[in-house]
Amino acid sequence: ILILLSTVCYFFTRKGQFVFDDSVAVVKNADVINSNTSWETLMRHDFWGANIMDKNSHKSFRPLTVLSFQQEVRLFGLDATQMKMTNWLLHTVIGVLLPRFFQLVSWRERCKTTSWGMEYWAAVLFVVHPIHTEAVAGIVGRAELLATVGVVLAVMVYGKQSTILKHVLVLTTVFILTALSMLCKETGITILATCAVLDTLTHINLQRPVRTFVSNKPLAARIITLFVMTCILIYARLRVQNFASPQFRDKDNIVAFSHGITKTLSQNYLYCLNLWLLLCPDWLSFDWALESIPLVKSVRDYRVAFIVIFYVFLVAILARNRHQPRVLKGLALMIIPFLPASGIIRVGFVIAERVLYIPSLGFCYLVSYGFVRLHEKLDIRWIRVTLGAGFLLLVITFVLRTIQRSSEWATEHTLFRSGLRVVPNNAKVHYNIAKLAADQGDKATAFQFYQQALELYPEYEVAHMNLGNLYSDAKDYRRALKHLQKAIEYHEDFHTAWMNLGIVHAALKNHKDALVSYQRAMKGKKHYPNCMFNLGNLYNDMGNHNLALATWNETVRQDPKHVKAWNNMINVYDNANMNEQVLEVTARGLIHLPNHPNLLAARAIALAKMGNYPEAEQIYSELIVRHPGEEKYLQNMGVLYHRWRKLDQAERMYRKALKINPQSEMARNNLSKLLASRQKSSN
């Protein structure tokens, strides 16, 4: 049943695309795409492929998750369907493990009860809960799934202690599982604290907790050991990033950058919202940044009432169940894994549904326990039937909501548009819709939503830059300059905006300003091949071809697969009729871009100009075989034969080119010249 429910919930997302953060973490991540990336490299890079020592790195260190992506790409190619299926499989495996996991949490492994008890219904609720959609349907959610496997296995192993020898083996295994879970996602560090609290609640008398804890020497020894292990792992994790903190910006998490009572109230209000998302998972969004949730700045804010209700509810549960270990264990399973996202350390998000994946273990456990306790206490048939029907209705509702939400996660279009309903004041939602529209060539929609994003958040520097780029593409350089300068005003070290500003200045022939912009873009960023390429274009426009060539050479040194830089060097040499240099550049380029048609075609043209017709013919023949629908290679082959005085072959090539493209002026003119030349010769 658990497998069936999981399949039904995520059936519609299996054919989905790479969406949102998947693009950066998987599609554009060189550590994932390059199957030859070594383990040593993965251990030096963050989740997004950047050097973890870089000041701009978010310090998210998840090499095992990246390794899973890398091996999947190596085996199956860059296939979103395959990756989403792997996520679904992991979610299903977790669901299947949960009945036994919850039994160990309840300390019922010696009871001869069937799995169709409270623990099984908790597992059912977990499998179908809509809050998990982001973690399962979003490929980057793999980090949560792998970390959760570590949590579940570690707690299950920890619950199997008996002899002292077994204690050592179990603690060692739990330590290893925690370390592996941390290498999938940082929240794995909470495993040891979770085990400690569960162990304590299992082995102390809640009527006399302090006395029984102190008198239980083996328990105290285990807790001390878990504490020491936690300190070791925290030290090792911080050592990886050289104890540097990630540099987030206020637009990523406005609550983290607030102060005083505003921060206290706003952070506590977020606790309420997170609980509400677990209770009523209708209000779901892929992003909660910027002004999605306005700050709570005063005790007169009506939302303070929700904070009061939240704490009254929590205190009431604790007071009524202070001697009920199962309730306290459920709360521990909710609260401890949530601690890293609770604001005690600065994080780069306001709310992230995926971080509730592990805490929802405790939530589902408590809800199921509550239903079962009510069913046991209310010994009236119709009430029990009503409770059972209510739980069934809850599961069905969750299944339907998860199906709907997982279908929204199938494509970026549906995902981004779904955010408008939940957080219409989130400028990032409008920005993502605009960016997607621009990528798809829908300029009108892109202009509309970029402008809406800036109305909601005027200091949104990336939106200013992209809107400036759109105006630049439309040759409206005045507006382009305005928005690119705004982007730099709000983010002075915005390298890409400086580069794009240089491109606009170059288009306006403001060479001096363009040069300043490019130099500013590369300040503090030594490896910037795209900017280096544009700087070469500027030198070329200024007539300094030698400096342009030197700059493009630096471009291909930084990025050997920068095709445009290779092409530009070839064009300069070709225009100067320096065929030997064209052959030298193409030979270098083909080492890094083997069989690239532009490089091969340029090489063939240079060979033909030098009279080496046989070698040029061989290259064109290969290009025609590889690209049978490309008329230009047939035309070039025709020109080669024409020069070579092989007129029959030339005529055949021209006619083949015209068969592919009857409107080709070049092929028609060349054929006309050839036929006229033949007629003149015959006369």
Side-chain angles (χ1 to χ4, degrees):
I1 289 177
L2 291 169
I3 296 173
L4 177 63
L5 286 172
S6 180
T7 304
V8 170
C9 285
Y10 295 100
F11 179 80
F12 292 100
T13 193
R14 75 195 192 287
K15 293 292 185 183
Q17 305 168 355
F18 293 104
V19 296
F20 197 38
D21 288 339
D22 297 344
S23 177
V24 181
V26 179
V27 179
K28 298 178 182 178
N29 189 340
D31 292 343
V32 173
I33 302 303
N34 184 3
S35 60
N36 296 321
T37 302
S38 66
W39 175 250
E40 290 76 13
T41 300
L42 294 182
M43 292 294 286
R44 293 195 302 269
H45 287 184
D46 65 17
F47 186 55
W48 313 99
N51 190 322
I52 201 164
M53 296 299 183
D54 190 293
K55 67 176 184 178
N56 295 317
S57 170
H58 285 186
K59 314 300 182 188
S60 47
F61 182 64
R62 303 162 194 173
L64 284 183
T65 305
V66 177
L67 182 64
S68 76
F69 293 150
Q70 181 198 84
Q71 294 307 306
E72 215 166 358
V73 170
R74 185 177 67 84
L75 293 172
F76 306 106
L78 194 61
D79 186 350
T81 297
Q82 172 61 41
M83 290 185 160
K84 287 175 183 283
M85 288 294 289
T86 301
N87 278 19
W88 163 79
L89 181 62
L90 286 168
H91 179 66
T92 305
V93 167
I94 292 166
V96 170
L97 290 172
L98 285 186
R100 183 58 180 160
F101 168 82
F102 286 133
Q103 282 184 340
L104 287 168
V105 169
S106 301
W107 200 250
R108 289 177 57 186
E109 71 277 5
R110 295 186 180 88
C111 299
K112 302 300 182 181
T113 57
T114 174
S115 61
W116 288 86
M118 180 269 288
E119 292 84 359
Y120 193 88
W121 294 118
V124 167
L125 206 58
F126 181 89
V127 165
V128 302
H129 203 299
I131 201 68
H132 301 148
T133 311
E134 180 177 353
V136 181
I139 294 170
V140 296
R142 177 82 56 85
E144 265 73 28
L145 300 170
L146 290 173
T148 306
V149 171
V151 171
V152 171
L153 291 178
V155 172
M156 291 174 70
V157 168
Y158 191 81
K160 288 292 186 180
Q161 303 179 77
S162 55
T163 63
I164 293 178
L165 180 61
K166 202 165 186 180
H167 284 342
V168 176
L169 181 61
V170 164
L171 287 170
T172 303
T173 305
V174 170
F175 180 80
I176 293 170
L177 286 170
T178 302
L180 292 174
S181 183
M182 285 179 65
L183 292 175
C184 297
K185 189 168 184 185
E186 294 78 1
T187 47
I189 189 61
T190 61
I191 290 175
L192 299 176
T194 302
C195 289
V197 173
L198 295 177
D199 194 4
T200 301
L201 291 172
T202 299
H203 291 98
I204 65 169
N205 184 340
L206 290 173
Q207 304 284 348
R208 300 185 301 277
V210 177
R211 184 183 302 176
T212 52
F213 177 82
V214 172
S215 62
N216 192 332
K217 297 295 191 295
L219 172 62
R222 291 197 299 272
I223 302 305
I224 292 171
T225 303
L226 291 172
F227 176 76
V228 172
M229 287 178 173
T230 301
C231 292
I232 291 171
L233 289 175
I234 290 175
Y235 175 83
R237 175 61 184 82
L238 293 175
R239 183 71 183 83
V240 167
Q241 63 194 56
N242 200 27
F243 300 94
S245 299
Q247 300 299 310
F248 297 114
R249 302 182 63 207
D250 57 352
K251 70 184 182 67
D252 298 318
N253 185 352
I254 58 173
V255 175
F257 284 85
S258 59
H259 303 281
I261 191 170
T262 297
K263 183 172 184 176
T264 301
L265 292 174
S266 299
Q267 190 64 61
N268 280 276
Y269 180 62
L270 292 184
Y271 301 154
C272 303
L273 284 181
N274 278 284
L275 179 60
W276 180 249
L277 291 177
L278 288 170
L279 289 168
C280 184
D282 174 61
W283 205 41
L284 302 178
S285 174
F286 70 94
D287 185 84
W288 297 83
L290 302 175
E291 295 295 329
S292 299
I293 303 169
L295 294 172
V296 183
K297 298 180 179 179
S298 167
V299 292
R300 292 188 293 273
D301 192 307
Y302 74 94
R303 291 172 293 174
V304 172
F306 297 118
I307 300 174
V308 173
I309 292 170
F310 169 78
Y311 280 106
V312 168
F313 178 66
L314 180 61
V315 170
I317 290 177
L318 288 171
R320 182 169 178 79
N321 298 280
R322 62 186 182 279
H323 299 145
Q324 296 291 329
R326 287 190 189 174
V327 175
L328 298 178
K329 288 177 179 179
L331 288 172
L333 282 174
M334 279 184 68
I335 295 170
I336 295 173
F338 183 72
L339 289 177
S342 66
I344 57 175
I345 58 174
R346 182 173 287 180
V347 293
F349 56 85
V350 179
I351 288 179
E353 293 154 22
R354 61 186 177 275
V355 304
L356 293 175
Y357 191 88
I358 300 176
S360 67
L361 289 168
F363 173 81
C364 295
Y365 180 82
L366 287 174
V367 171
S368 179
Y369 177 71
F371 267 101
V372 170
R373 289 290 292 153
L374 283 172
H375 192 272
E376 291 173 352
K377 283 191 173 184
L378 302 173
D379 192 13
I380 302 173
R381 181 177 176 77
W382 71 268
I383 293 180
R384 288 189 166 186
V385 170
T386 302
L387 281 172
F391 191 86
L392 181 61
L393 180 62
L394 177 64
V395 170
I396 292 172
T397 302
F398 276 8
V399 168
L400 294 176
R401 177 60 178 133
T402 302
I403 291 172
Q404 179 193 28
R405 186 61 181 157
S406 65
S407 66
E408 291 173 349
W409 270 88
T411 68
E412 287 193 326
H413 177 78
T414 54
L415 179 65
F416 295 160
R417 292 281 176 171
S418 70
L420 290 176
R421 178 182 71 88
V422 179
V423 282
N425 294 327
N426 184 345
K428 197 170 181 180
V429 171
H430 295 265
Y431 166 83
N432 279 287
I433 293 172
K435 187 174 184 300
L436 179 63
D439 292 342
Q440 295 175 343
D442 185 356
K443 304 291 186 181
T445 301
F447 273 114
Q448 175 191 347
F449 279 90
Y450 276 137
Q451 287 163 351
Q452 289 178 4
L454 290 172
E455 287 174 8
L456 291 167
Y457 186 59
E459 298 178 11
Y460 203 165
E461 77 282 359
V462 183
H464 275 296
M465 183 190 73
N466 286 357
L467 185 56
N469 292 343
L470 282 180
Y471 281 124
S472 178
D473 292 342
K475 311 299 183 188
D476 188 346
Y477 296 121
R478 183 180 61 82
R479 285 193 175 94
L481 283 174
K482 171 190 169 184
H483 285 286
L484 289 168
Q485 287 166 346
K486 280 285 186 183
I488 292 164
E489 177 186 336
Y490 294 129
H491 185 186
E492 187 178 353
D493 294 326
F494 197 175
H495 303 287
T496 310
W498 277 110
M499 181 188 72
N500 290 332
L501 182 63
I503 292 171
V504 173
H505 279 308
L508 292 170
K509 304 302 180 184
N510 299 332
H511 293 153
K512 184 177 180 181
D513 291 334
L515 183 60
V516 170
S517 297
Y518 288 142
Q519 290 172 340
R520 184 63 179 78
M522 291 185 288
K523 183 180 179 182
K525 190 172 183 179
K526 296 179 181 179
H527 186 88
Y528 203 174
N530 285 339
C531 191
M532 190 67 67
F533 167 74
N534 285 299
L535 179 60
N537 293 345
L538 175 65
Y539 289 138
N540 192 52
D541 289 344
M542 294 168 67
N544 194 335
H545 301 306
N546 290 332
L547 199 50
L549 288 168
T551 307
W552 288 325
N553 268 304
E554 175 60 20
T555 302
V556 297
R557 188 194 68 79
Q558 293 185 13
D559 179 9
K561 295 187 177 182
H562 202 295
V563 177
K564 291 182 178 180
W566 291 112
N567 286 340
N568 283 7
M569 284 191 285
I570 291 167
N571 290 338
V572 169
Y573 286 129
D574 184 57
N575 291 336
N577 204 30
M578 300 171 69
N579 296 314
E580 291 286 352
Q581 283 76 7
V582 171
L583 293 181
E584 186 270 332
V585 170
T586 54
R588 286 166 49 208
L590 288 168
I591 294 172
H592 305 287
L593 296 162
N595 299 321
H596 195 282
N598 290 359
L599 299 181
L600 287 171
R603 189 171 184 80
I605 291 170
L607 289 166
K609 287 180 177 180
M610 296 170 69
N612 191 344
Y613 298 132
E615 192 172 344
E617 180 188 27
Q618 182 182 352
I619 293 174
Y620 280 134
S621 298
E622 292 174 2
L623 286 170
I624 290 169
V625 170
R626 292 196 187 105
H627 309 278
E630 289 282 351
E631 59 163 300
K632 61 183 178 181
Y633 302 129
L634 292 165
Q635 287 184 37
N636 288 349
M637 180 76 109
V639 171
L640 173 68
Y641 284 136
H642 206 150
R643 288 178 177 174
W644 204 354
R645 306 306 299 167
K646 293 187 176 184
L647 302 183
D648 290 339
Q649 291 96 319
E651 181 180 348
R652 187 166 64 252
M653 291 298 125
Y654 292 146
R655 292 192 184 280
K656 283 185 177 181
L658 286 168
K659 190 174 182 181
I660 293 173
N661 180 16
Q663 307 303 319
S664 174
E665 289 292 333
M666 184 178 292
R668 185 181 294 109
N669 291 338
N670 285 339
L671 180 60
S672 297
K673 289 177 183 178
L674 186 148
L675 294 175
S677 175
R678 274 186 168 176
Q679 187 174 6
K680 185 176 179 180
S681 298
S682 62
N683 292 336

